[in-house]
Amino acid sequence: MTSTDAGAARTARPTRQRRAVAECLRRFDDFRSAQEIHDLLRQGGDNVGLSTVYRTLQAMADADEVDVLRAEDGEARYRRCSDTHHHHLVCRGCGHTVEVEGPAVERWATKVAEEHGFAEVSHTLEIFGHCPDCA
Amino acid sequence: MTSTDAGAARTARPTRQRRAVAECLRRFDDFRSAQEIHDLLRQGGDNVGLSTVYRTLQAMADADEVDVLRAEDGEARYRRCSDTHHHHLVCRGCGHTVEVEGPAVERWATKVAEEHGFAEVSHTLEIFGHCPDCA
DNA sequence: GCACCTTTTGACAACGGTTCTCATTCCGGC
DNA sequence: GCCGGAATGAGAACCGTTGTCAAAAGGTGC
Ligand SMILES: [Zn+2]
Ligand SMILES: [Zn+2]
Ligand SMILES: [Zn+2]
Ligand SMILES: [Zn+2]
């Protein structure tokens, strides 16, 4: 067999547009919508099509390179993230976000699921409030 | 002054439509979308406008009479719920849902938020997996 | 039962975020 | 430089949700 199906490189060209989106995410520590990112890029002179922004963000989310959070109105918001499992403490006022970890919570979630016979368990957990600056 | 502004009855007439929606929710233990509920009502002979279904569900959500959960695609799904604070263990296959409580998790969330100086704290937490029937 | 007034309803249009389409452009390898 | 597949982007389509507003329904006092 040729080397083409050797699974390694799962097609992902480093184009100008993808670099721009990744770069833009790197500059913020809070969650942003696809359209906000599109606007920011445009303002910064980087013209990237809205479709491409959506596609890129989806791909990054699939690759666990960004976290996705649904706003109350259902809009998806993205944020660069570390590669270890974590959750978020998000300010309802300014959006300021802190990554938090809680081993005890992880164990609790797993235990509860097992007690009910659930398998392939995952979970979502976010904490909201007003940060010191917004209080 | 008349009794009209005596705050007590916060205007909520028990109409046929509202009863039908509430009754429909009572018949399921899993999360349903507004449109699913609309279809179910129609199939059951209860003709209720889609707008009314949306309005009623929103009102019930505001009154904490139903839980709202955003599906991965952003669609809102509703479920009747008990009146105490709780979270959910949801089957990704059939939607079967179990309400769960975890006092330790509640304390952890509050503590983490306080450590970062956050006030007016709330949180969301859901656990997903495959139930015994779907495994 | 009957006015009277307010709330509620529902068909339909409008909205907004997201996805799809497809002709064009880009990239990497030869 | 050429070729072929991947990527892009302008615009249309999609779809859940919300807004509009005239008509219908509840409640109240009579
Ligand atoms: Zn803040
Ligand atoms: Zn976790
Ligand atoms: Zn199941
Ligand atoms: Zn809780």
Side-chain angles (χ1 to χ4, degrees):
Chain A
M1 59 199 70
T2 69
S3 61
T4 51
D5 65 355
R10 176 46 91 230
T11 58
R13 289 188 193 168
T15 64
R16 170 183 72 79
Q17 290 86 342
R18 287 179 200 186
R19 261 189 303 266
V21 170
E23 168 62 23
C24 184
L25 283 169
R26 217 168 291 129
R27 286 168 39 215
F28 299 101
D29 91 315
D30 50 350
F31 285 86
R32 304 275 171 156
S33 72
Q35 313 218 40
E36 278 175 351
I37 291 169
H38 177 248
D39 289 347
L40 285 168
L41 289 173
R42 188 146 291 198
Q43 284 169 29
D46 275 311
N47 263 61
V48 179
L50 185 55
S51 302
T52 301
V53 173
Y54 273 107
R55 275 189 297 243
T56 303
L57 288 172
Q58 269 170 346
M60 294 180 80
D62 288 346
D64 289 319
E65 291 168 25
V66 297
D67 287 320
V68 187
L69 198 55
R70 290 269 168 194
E72 283 207 38
D73 63 353
E75 188 183 31
R77 310 189 133 260
Y78 305 84
R79 178 183 187 272
R80 64 153 196 273
C81 72
S82 57
D83 51 0
T84 59
H85 180 81
H86 61 269
H87 299 284
H88 302 99
L89 174 56
V90 183
C91 175
R92 278 190 292 259
C94 64
H96 176 227
T97 299
V98 182
E99 291 191 2
V100 296
E101 292 181 43
V105 171
E106 306 300 324
R107 282 192 298 273
W108 173 81
T110 305
K111 184 171 69 72
V112 166
E114 279 175 359
E115 283 175 1
H116 289 272
F118 278 57
E120 299 170 66
V121 180
S122 65
H123 61 266
T124 66
L125 165 56
E126 319 295 336
I127 308 176
F128 302 94
H130 284 117
C131 77
D133 291 347
C134 294
Chain B
M1 60 196 70
T2 68
S3 63
T4 50
D5 64 357
R10 177 45 89 228
T11 58
R13 289 188 193 167
T15 64
R16 170 184 71 80
Q17 291 86 340
R18 289 179 196 182
R19 261 190 302 268
V21 171
E23 167 62 23
C24 185
L25 283 169
R26 216 169 290 131
R27 285 168 40 215
F28 299 100
D29 91 317
D30 51 349
F31 285 86
R32 304 276 171 153
S33 74
Q35 313 216 40
E36 278 176 350
I37 291 169
H38 177 248
D39 289 346
L40 285 167
L41 289 173
R42 190 147 287 199
Q43 284 169 28
D46 276 310
N47 263 59
V48 179
L50 184 55
S51 301
T52 300
V53 173
Y54 273 107
R55 276 189 298 246
T56 303
L57 289 171
Q58 269 170 345
M60 295 180 80
D62 288 346
D64 289 318
E65 290 169 26
V66 297
D67 287 320
V68 187
L69 198 55
R70 290 267 168 196
E72 283 205 40
D73 64 352
E75 188 183 31
R77 311 190 132 259
Y78 305 84
R79 179 183 185 271
R80 65 152 196 273
C81 72
S82 57
D83 51 1
T84 59
H85 180 82
H86 61 269
H87 299 283
H88 302 100
L89 174 55
V90 183
C91 175
R92 276 190 292 260
C94 63
H96 177 227
T97 298
V98 181
E99 291 190 4
V100 297
E101 292 181 44
V105 172
E106 305 300 323
R107 282 192 298 273
W108 174 81
T110 305
K111 184 171 71 70
V112 167
E114 278 176 0
E115 283 174 1
H116 289 272
F118 278 57
E120 301 169 65
V121 180
S122 65
H123 60 265
T124 66
L125 166 55
E126 318 296 334
I127 308 176
F128 302 93
H130 283 118
C131 76
D133 291 346
C134 294

mmCIF file with all atom_site columns, all heavy atoms in Angstrom, chain A residues 85 87 106 123, ligand 2:
data_model
loop_
_atom_site.group_PDB
_atom_site.id
_atom_site.type_symbol
_atom_site.label_atom_id
_atom_site.label_alt_id
_atom_site.label_comp_id
_atom_site.label_asym_id
_atom_site.label_entity_id
_atom_site.label_seq_id
_atom_site.pdbx_PDB_ins_code
_atom_site.Cartn_x
_atom_site.Cartn_y
_atom_site.Cartn_z
_atom_site.occupancy
_atom_site.B_iso_or_equiv
_atom_site.pdbx_formal_charge
_atom_site.auth_seq_id
_atom_site.auth_comp_id
_atom_site.auth_asym_id
_atom_site.auth_atom_id
_atom_site.pdbx_PDB_model_num
ATOM   1  N  N   . HIS A 1 85  ? -7.984  18.212 30.612 1.00 0.00 ? 85  HIS A N   1
ATOM   2  C  CA  . HIS A 1 85  ? -9.404  18.338 30.927 1.00 0.00 ? 85  HIS A CA  1
ATOM   3  C  C   . HIS A 1 85  ? -9.625  19.419 31.989 1.00 0.00 ? 85  HIS A C   1
ATOM   4  O  O   . HIS A 1 85  ? -8.942  19.451 32.995 1.00 0.00 ? 85  HIS A O   1
ATOM   5  C  CB  . HIS A 1 85  ? -9.937  16.995 31.431 1.00 0.00 ? 85  HIS A CB  1
ATOM   6  C  CG  . HIS A 1 85  ? -11.382 17.026 31.786 1.00 0.00 ? 85  HIS A CG  1
ATOM   7  N  ND1 . HIS A 1 85  ? -12.377 16.919 30.843 1.00 0.00 ? 85  HIS A ND1 1
ATOM   8  C  CD2 . HIS A 1 85  ? -12.000 17.191 32.973 1.00 0.00 ? 85  HIS A CD2 1
ATOM   9  C  CE1 . HIS A 1 85  ? -13.545 17.002 31.440 1.00 0.00 ? 85  HIS A CE1 1
ATOM   10 N  NE2 . HIS A 1 85  ? -13.351 17.167 32.738 1.00 0.00 ? 85  HIS A NE2 1
ATOM   11 N  N   . HIS A 1 87  ? -12.623 22.861 33.339 1.00 0.00 ? 87  HIS A N   1
ATOM   12 C  CA  . HIS A 1 87  ? -13.912 23.535 33.203 1.00 0.00 ? 87  HIS A CA  1
ATOM   13 C  C   . HIS A 1 87  ? -13.686 25.034 33.295 1.00 0.00 ? 87  HIS A C   1
ATOM   14 O  O   . HIS A 1 87  ? -12.543 25.466 33.361 1.00 0.00 ? 87  HIS A O   1
ATOM   15 C  CB  . HIS A 1 87  ? -14.879 23.020 34.277 1.00 0.00 ? 87  HIS A CB  1
ATOM   16 C  CG  . HIS A 1 87  ? -15.130 21.551 34.134 1.00 0.00 ? 87  HIS A CG  1
ATOM   17 N  ND1 . HIS A 1 87  ? -15.942 21.028 33.164 1.00 0.00 ? 87  HIS A ND1 1
ATOM   18 C  CD2 . HIS A 1 87  ? -14.611 20.482 34.793 1.00 0.00 ? 87  HIS A CD2 1
ATOM   19 C  CE1 . HIS A 1 87  ? -15.937 19.711 33.246 1.00 0.00 ? 87  HIS A CE1 1
ATOM   20 N  NE2 . HIS A 1 87  ? -15.123 19.341 34.222 1.00 0.00 ? 87  HIS A NE2 1
ATOM   21 N  N   . GLU A 1 106 ? -14.701 15.237 39.071 1.00 0.00 ? 106 GLU A N   1
ATOM   22 C  CA  . GLU A 1 106 ? -14.554 14.234 38.012 1.00 0.00 ? 106 GLU A CA  1
ATOM   23 C  C   . GLU A 1 106 ? -14.929 12.852 38.549 1.00 0.00 ? 106 GLU A C   1
ATOM   24 O  O   . GLU A 1 106 ? -15.664 12.102 37.905 1.00 0.00 ? 106 GLU A O   1
ATOM   25 C  CB  . GLU A 1 106 ? -13.107 14.208 37.501 1.00 0.00 ? 106 GLU A CB  1
ATOM   26 C  CG  . GLU A 1 106 ? -12.570 15.558 37.036 1.00 0.00 ? 106 GLU A CG  1
ATOM   27 C  CD  . GLU A 1 106 ? -13.376 16.138 35.884 1.00 0.00 ? 106 GLU A CD  1
ATOM   28 O  OE1 . GLU A 1 106 ? -13.838 15.354 35.038 1.00 0.00 ? 106 GLU A OE1 1
ATOM   29 O  OE2 . GLU A 1 106 ? -13.569 17.374 35.848 1.00 0.00 ? 106 GLU A OE2 1
ATOM   30 N  N   . HIS A 1 123 ? -19.135 14.764 30.465 1.00 0.00 ? 123 HIS A N   1
ATOM   31 C  CA  . HIS A 1 123 ? -19.925 15.737 31.207 1.00 0.00 ? 123 HIS A CA  1
ATOM   32 C  C   . HIS A 1 123 ? -19.575 17.159 30.810 1.00 0.00 ? 123 HIS A C   1
ATOM   33 O  O   . HIS A 1 123 ? -18.536 17.417 30.201 1.00 0.00 ? 123 HIS A O   1
ATOM   34 C  CB  . HIS A 1 123 ? -19.727 15.549 32.709 1.00 0.00 ? 123 HIS A CB  1
ATOM   35 C  CG  . HIS A 1 123 ? -18.304 15.744 33.132 1.00 0.00 ? 123 HIS A CG  1
ATOM   36 N  ND1 . HIS A 1 123 ? -17.425 14.691 33.256 1.00 0.00 ? 123 HIS A ND1 1
ATOM   37 C  CD2 . HIS A 1 123 ? -17.604 16.851 33.430 1.00 0.00 ? 123 HIS A CD2 1
ATOM   38 C  CE1 . HIS A 1 123 ? -16.246 15.156 33.629 1.00 0.00 ? 123 HIS A CE1 1
ATOM   39 N  NE2 . HIS A 1 123 ? -16.320 16.469 33.738 1.00 0.00 ? 123 HIS A NE2 1
HETATM 40 ZN ZN  . ZN  E 2 .   ? -14.643 17.526 34.090 1.00 0.00 ? 2   ZN  E ZN  1
#
